[in-house]
Amino acid sequence: MRTSHTSAYQEMMINSKLLEVPRGSYQRELNAKRVRKIAAKFDPRLVNPPKVSYRNGRYYVFDGQHTIAVLKLLNGGRDLMIRCIVYTGMTESEEALLFAQQAGEAAKLTPGDKMRAMIYGGDPECMAFLKATESVGLRLDYAQRRGKHRIGCIGTAFEEFKRVGADLYKEALSLIVAAWHGDPESLRAETIQSVTRFIELYRQEYDPRRLVTRLHKTDPLTIYREGRAMGVNMAGYKKYLYQVFCIYNGSSKKKVLPMKF
């Protein structure tokens, strides 16, 4: 038996009927379609043992639920003995944080999967991100389906939060909400990123009321459509930032901001 941080672990053969997946907390739902796809090209020599936490007399799978499902499928749907790496001495929060760090062989974690697990595990930065998002009337959609008052582009939003800090991130989101009232199309990655960067660039110069008014009069898809239409004429986020810049300035010659990017 070896020790990693505060948890000991060892390899064990465990009957699959004893392996539990904590989907009610930090785990994602099983992707049956992916299980069938993996099973069709399965090579037993490349199997990574599922990682399991032995807690309160039960075996909880925090990495490898798709591997277990594939092995059962290939065994005619019947339970079987599976070689696992079993950890002892872990809390459920520690399991969630380890789950978020494990990509696994069967199914790569999405930003939503990882964020949900990190928040469940109590990661301070992720908890602060959640609090900042919810403070402006929005919520994170871990399934990454954009909807009314729901942010699906979790990876992009989190990167902006980390880059500019909570205050500027909340300022950007609050202005987006004020302009479009949580319209799903206003919560695209391109909009969140471009509005955040606009505020970062012009924070001491722009008028928040003017920005909200100008954005409100604009179809929320405009930033995405017009930016994409620019093709390679402007690189990356700048073509979407340019749309926010143009919307803010409009045709007026008063309170016009200079181009800085």
Side-chain angles (χ1 to χ4, degrees):
M1 183 176 291
R2 287 169 281 184
T3 301
S4 176
H5 300 292
T6 60
S7 302
Y9 64 95
Q10 62 181 328
E11 289 193 8
M12 295 175 58
M13 296 297 293
I14 303 175
N15 194 302
S16 59
K17 67 182 179 182
L18 299 177
L19 299 172
E20 301 182 43
V21 180
R23 296 196 185 97
S25 52
Y26 60 84
Q27 268 278 16
R28 56 190 163 180
E29 292 299 315
L30 185 74
N31 187 328
K33 182 177 179 181
R34 191 171 189 121
V35 168
R36 292 192 295 271
K37 183 177 179 181
I38 295 168
K41 300 179 180 179
F42 186 73
D43 186 338
R45 296 170 298 178
L46 302 178
V47 175
N48 282 336
K51 294 182 177 64
V52 176
S53 172
Y54 183 69
R55 175 168 49 84
N56 299 327
R58 299 162 77 174
Y59 296 98
Y60 294 99
V61 179
F62 63 85
D63 183 59
Q65 68 156 320
H66 286 83
T67 297
I68 294 168
V70 168
L71 291 171
K72 284 188 66 174
L73 178 63
L74 294 174
N75 196 44
R78 300 181 300 274
D79 284 305
L80 70 163
M81 300 300 289
I82 297 177
R83 184 167 62 93
C84 301
I85 296 177
V86 181
Y87 291 75
T88 57
M90 291 174 59
T91 65
E92 190 173 16
S93 293
E94 289 172 332
E95 292 168 18
L97 293 176
L98 273 179
F99 165 76
Q101 297 170 35
Q102 299 290 336
E105 291 299 317
K108 185 178 180 180
L109 293 179
T110 66
D113 292 332
K114 185 170 184 177
M115 181 59 62
R116 177 181 57 195
M118 294 294 282
I119 288 172
Y120 191 87
D123 178 80
E125 189 171 41
C126 292
M127 294 287 286
F129 169 60
L130 174 66
K131 182 178 179 181
T133 302
E134 292 183 340
S135 72
V136 300
L138 299 175
R139 63 188 180 91
L140 302 176
D141 190 320
Y142 302 119
Q144 296 185 258
R145 295 186 292 263
R146 194 172 59 249
K148 185 77 171 178
H149 295 289
R150 297 205 316 265
I151 292 181
C153 56
I154 290 175
T156 296
F158 188 42
E159 286 304 313
E160 290 302 298
F161 170 83
K162 291 189 293 183
R163 197 178 60 80
V164 303
D167 289 343
L168 199 150
Y169 172 76
K170 290 191 292 184
E171 183 177 343
L173 287 190
S174 64
L175 293 175
I176 291 173
V177 172
W180 289 303
H181 310 295
D183 186 315
E185 299 299 347
S186 73
L187 298 173
R188 288 176 173 270
E190 294 81 6
T191 305
I192 290 175
Q193 185 178 59
S194 57
V195 171
T196 302
R197 295 190 181 230
F198 175 85
I199 293 171
E200 179 187 25
L201 195 59
Y202 296 103
R203 195 168 191 185
Q204 305 303 321
E205 304 169 63
Y206 89 105
D207 180 346
R209 288 177 296 179
R210 176 182 174 87
L211 179 60
V212 169
T213 299
R214 297 287 300 169
L215 290 176
H216 181 69
K217 294 178 180 179
T218 306
D219 184 327
L221 267 174
T222 296
I223 294 172
Y224 171 73
R225 286 173 174 166
E226 296 299 322
R228 188 166 183 175
M230 293 182 71
V232 297
N233 294 328
M234 190 174 285
Y237 73 88
K238 290 184 179 180
K239 57 188 178 183
Y240 302 105
L241 170 58
Y242 179 71
Q243 306 312 314
V244 178
F245 172 78
C246 290
I247 291 169
Y248 180 87
N249 279 343
S251 58
S252 174
K253 295 184 178 180
K254 295 182 179 180
K255 297 185 178 181
V256 172
L257 296 173
M259 189 169 180
K260 296 182 179 180
F261 52 96

